[in-house]
Amino acid sequence: MSQGEREMQLRSGIGSMAVAVMALAAFATACGGGGSEPTGEKPPTNDKSAPGTNAGTGGGSGKSKGATSDFDTVFNTEDRIRQALPDPGAMKGWKPKTGRADIEEQPKSPAECGPDTHWDCTGIADGSVKFEAAGENAYFDIQAYADKKAAEDACSKEKDWSAKHAKAEMPPVPGVESHAYYRNAGSLDGLDLTMCLGTVIAQVRLEDGGGSSLDPATVHTLAQLFVPRIQKAAAAS
């Protein structure tokens, strides 16, 4: 499944709000997720409107020194994917909308994908969740690979792919290779932060739902909630 298809699937929703909340709660309960993680309360946004896809604000973030987010764990089960994704208990102040985890039945090898395919071609599993609050949408996405080498190759491709978009100024996420950029998908402006750690690529997207300033500080805070969950899921037996 391509990045664009995943974004279209996320935006489509899964029915009424009541059904969405129940489905995402069940999604979280299936892996024992809940309130033991950081609260993830929505940080305040400032009044300064962030630029859209064609007006970036400078360089993206690099790898912060001192911390590590390196692991060999392969995220090849739905449970591990679900453990890594934020749940309603971690996202106080946000309304849950959708959640899913998918395992590739027949993942493609690098040879099958070739050098010019999309960066997620060799992925073996992926998952995503969506939350809404105060006129903006927050998406968390994780793409898993068979080993660190495959993930590193995919990260390199993703970075080249995202270079066509306008960069966003954002502090480094501790211990993580990351970069941020503004982009437009389906006529919706958004701010994306991509992080490479261990055997996965993780992304946080803040999208304008009718009132978002696309504040980099919000995305950075959400990323700092996401990374520890991925680390915890990688360390779980």
Side-chain angles (χ1 to χ4, degrees), residues 187-213:
S187 300
L188 295 173
D189 289 332
L191 172 58
D192 288 16
L193 173 63
T194 300
M195 300 173 287
C196 302
L197 58 163
T199 60
V200 305
I201 296 177
Q203 293 183 307
V204 178
R205 175 175 172 83
L206 191 66
E207 193 170 85
D208 185 7
S212 175
S213 64

Side-chain angles (χ1 to χ4, degrees), residues 64-173:
S64 176
K65 297 181 180 179
T68 61
S69 293
D70 194 21
F71 51 80
D72 295 300
T73 304
V74 179
F75 282 61
N76 56 359
T77 66
E78 291 185 8
D79 281 347
R80 202 175 293 275
I81 293 286
R82 287 168 176 158
Q83 289 171 20
L85 293 167
D87 55 32
M91 292 290 289
K92 304 297 184 182
W94 294 79
K95 294 180 181 179
K97 297 297 291 184
T98 61
R100 63 171 184 80
D102 299 314
I103 306 300
E104 293 288 345
E105 294 183 2
Q106 296 180 321
K108 295 181 180 179
S109 67
E112 291 176 294
C113 287
D116 299 322
T117 52
H118 195 265
W119 57 268
D120 63 358
C121 182
T122 58
I124 63 169
D126 66 274
S128 59
V129 290
K130 174 186 175 181
F131 295 86
E132 291 183 353
E136 57 192 3
N137 303 316
Y139 299 88
F140 298 85
D141 183 271
I142 186 168
Q143 183 78 36
Y145 295 87
D147 52 43
K148 287 195 293 186
K149 176 62 167 61
E152 289 170 359
D153 290 345
C155 283
S156 178
K157 280 189 174 183
E158 196 285 330
K159 191 170 184 179
D160 290 342
W161 177 84
S162 66
K164 63 185 178 182
H165 299 291
K167 293 181 180 179
E169 192 70 43
M170 191 176 300
V173 179

Side-chain angles (χ1 to χ4, degrees), residues 16-92:
S16 69
M17 184 61 197
V19 173
V21 172
M22 292 175 64
L24 192 51
F27 175 88
T29 302
C31 65
S36 61
E37 296 297 327
T39 60
E41 294 186 3
K42 182 179 178 297
T45 57
N46 54 40
D47 294 329
K48 182 180 179 181
S49 296
T53 185
N54 294 319
T57 59
S61 57
K63 189 170 183 179
S64 176
K65 297 181 180 179
T68 61
S69 293
D70 194 21
F71 51 80
D72 295 300
T73 304
V74 179
F75 282 61
N76 56 359
T77 66
E78 291 185 8
D79 281 347
R80 202 175 293 275
I81 293 286
R82 287 168 176 158
Q83 289 171 20
L85 293 167
D87 55 32
M91 292 290 289
K92 304 297 184 182

